[in-house]
Amino acid sequence: MDLGIAGKRALVCASSKGLGRGCAEALAAAGVELVMNARGAEALESAAADIRAAYGVPVMAVAADITDETGRQRVLDTVGTVDILVTNAGGPPPGMWTDWDRDDFMMALDANMLTPIALMKALVPGMMDRGWGRVVNITSQSVKAPIAVLGLSNSARAGLTGYVAGTSRQVAPHGVTINNLLPGIHATDRADALDKGVAEGEGISLEEAQARRAATIPARRYGTPAEFGATCAFLCSQHAGFIVGQNILLDGGAVNTVL
Ligand code: NAP
């Protein structure tokens, strides 16, 4: 399917690896020019080079912490204007509800709520002026089905979800859509880190922890960054202009709800 977005320009945050990279690759495959971002310069430059070589689109790479105001401003200064924004950042660590103090919450809110909001505030007005734009926020399945040990993530992402619910309706008249993509478990470094925690806690191997988790998913497997990216690219396509303010689960059926 022609997504109709060849020649558009996208900022994909936190995209040297994992789900962000999946989104960057799928947009590049649709002919979109990219600005990619991550903190580690080496992995970022290498991912950018791979994507340039594979898809022949211009790719800029800005190594910066997107959750830090100075780093974010550096990204925004480089980006200029974009038609497509994919927000993403690392997820907060797991723990018990008694573990977290104000500083922990502020870090989680900064990374997973206030950073995407700041990026939207910076880039959506230009999209509205030009009458076309797409924003996809990578959030989590925990928005629909909170994961007990991820209380920091549950809290911050719930805040972003509420913000998007209202804002997406305010910008839609100007041809700009904002939607959230909610990953269930996907085979990335983040999933590895969570599974290693489970393996250590329960005294089992990493493979056993992965097998046990996969067995709880109706699809009986983890998702892949490529299929996540393909959904993101569709949401950024010309065909998705009527999808507004949605929270779309990609979880292999793990969250057992109807609506
Ligand atoms: P990942 O494989 O660990 O990749 C994270 C990517 O983000 C890397 O490129 C990393 O590069 C970059 N990054 C992290 N923090 C950053 C920051 N502050 N500024 C700029 N770049 C940053 O993670 P993932 O699995 O793709 O997860 C992406 C998001 O989806 C996370 O918020 C995660 O909590 C959420 N999620 C993932 C899953 C899953 O199963 N994978 C499920 C639910 C939710 P650097 O480290 O070099 O910066």
Side-chain angles (χ1 to χ4, degrees):
M1 183 193 290
D2 178 2
L3 296 185
I5 49 176
K8 299 273 188 202
R9 188 173 152 79
L11 168 61
V12 186
C13 302
S15 54
S16 64
K17 298 178 188 166
L19 304 180
R21 176 159 179 172
C23 296
E25 295 226 15
L27 288 169
V32 173
E33 179 181 334
L34 296 181
V35 180
M36 295 174 66
N37 152 260
R39 291 164 303 181
E42 201 175 322
L44 178 64
E45 291 295 347
S46 153
D50 288 351
I51 291 178
R52 252 181 241 120
Y55 305 103
V57 292
V59 182
M60 287 171 70
V62 190
D65 184 340
I66 200 70
T67 68
D68 164 76
E69 209 172 329
T70 312
R72 188 163 57 244
Q73 195 54 52
R74 203 144 48 78
V75 173
L76 288 170
D77 290 344
T78 309
V79 160
T81 59
V82 289
D83 310 294
I84 294 167
L85 166 65
V86 180
T87 76
N88 186 28
M96 280 294 287
W97 64 278
T98 44
D99 293 342
W100 305 310
D101 59 22
R102 179 182 166 78
D103 287 345
D104 298 310
F105 277 102
M106 290 316 296
M107 276 175 65
L109 290 173
D110 260 340
N112 300 115
M113 176 185 172
L114 299 175
T115 290
I117 290 174
L119 289 163
M120 283 186 266
K121 284 188 74 178
L123 295 171
V124 166
M127 297 178 192
M128 292 167 72
D129 288 345
R130 292 185 296 281
W132 196 94
R134 298 282 185 266
V135 179
V136 174
N137 300 298
I138 300 179
T139 68
S140 174
Q141 118 183 359
S142 68
V143 167
K144 292 214 187 225
I147 299 165
V149 293
L150 293 178
L152 291 173
S153 171
N154 298 337
S155 307
R157 297 190 200 276
L160 176 64
T161 306
Y163 176 86
V164 166
T167 305
S168 60
R169 271 87 187 175
Q170 291 177 320
V171 305
H174 304 274
V176 179
T177 69
I178 309 178
N179 292 288
N180 302 321
L181 261 189
L182 283 53
I185 198 75
H186 282 70
T188 67
D189 289 358
R190 163 83 171 169
D192 259 4
L194 293 174
D195 286 336
K196 276 178 193 148
V198 171
E200 277 162 27
E202 298 191 15
I204 56 176
S205 68
L206 175 62
E207 292 70 26
E208 177 62 20
Q210 289 167 332
R212 283 189 194 176
R213 196 195 290 271
T216 66
I217 303 167
R220 298 287 185 268
R221 65 175 178 87
Y222 287 19
T224 68
E227 56 197 352
F228 189 88
T231 309
C232 174
F234 178 76
L235 282 177
C236 296
S237 75
Q238 295 292 0
H239 312 296
F242 210 49
I243 303 177
V244 170
Q246 297 303 298
N247 291 285
I248 296 167
L249 266 174
L250 287 177
D251 70 341
V255 175
N256 191 8
T257 56
V258 178
L259 298 174

